[in-house]
Amino acid sequence: MAVEPVDQVVAAHFQELRRGTVVLACLLVLDEPRYGYALLRTLGDAGLDVEANTLYPLLRRLEAQGLLESDWNTDESRPRKFYRITGLGVRVREALDAERLRLHAALSTLSRPTPSQD
């Protein structure tokens, strides 16, 4: 059995960790309607780089789940689809954010050295 280089293993785990994080990040920033490219920039500016081919299917999935709703803006020369969070999305966001905080506290506790017991 071949052992993968550390970088490949870490990259695979980063991808897993980021998958749920991107869902929460979208729900956190979509109180204000945003179109896809603006959302990509907002997430990137915050340090969460997301590929367009990851974000757009995610937005469609969250909309299908009733967590987001969208409207087309055709006022400009190029039509844009704007997404915003729904009431259900707000409740899901609150639950996910509470879990994120709980997990952060648990991991912080686990990462602190414990005093040795003699």
Side-chain angles (χ1 to χ4, degrees):
M1 180 166 158
V3 177
E4 291 184 303
V6 171
D7 290 346
Q8 288 178 336
V9 173
V10 169
H13 286 288
F14 276 1
Q15 185 176 12
E16 275 184 57
L17 186 59
R18 290 170 51 90
R19 193 167 286 134
T21 305
V22 172
V23 169
L24 179 55
C26 288
L27 295 176
L28 287 170
V29 299
L30 285 173
D31 280 325
E32 260 180 50
R34 297 178 198 264
Y35 61 96
Y37 182 72
L39 182 55
L40 282 172
R41 280 198 339 241
T42 300
L43 296 174
D45 290 348
L48 190 61
D49 294 319
V50 179
E51 299 286 330
N53 61 357
T54 298
L55 182 65
Y56 291 106
L58 171 67
L59 292 172
R60 286 191 296 274
R61 189 174 83 237
L62 295 176
E63 187 174 19
Q65 292 171 349
L67 306 182
L68 299 179
E69 57 190 12
S70 66
D71 289 305
W72 283 97
N73 179 336
T74 56
D75 295 342
E76 297 177 22
S77 61
R78 186 172 171 207
R80 293 183 172 149
K81 190 174 189 178
F82 282 78
Y83 294 89
R84 72 184 159 285
I85 196 167
T86 63
L88 175 61
V90 170
R91 291 190 301 277
V92 169
R93 175 183 68 194
E94 289 169 356
L96 291 176
D97 202 32
E99 180 65 2
R100 175 192 63 85
L101 292 171
R102 188 193 71 73
L103 288 171
H104 177 75
L107 291 171
S108 294
T109 298
L110 291 171
S111 66
R112 279 187 233 126
T114 57
S116 61
Q117 296 180 0
D118 295 328

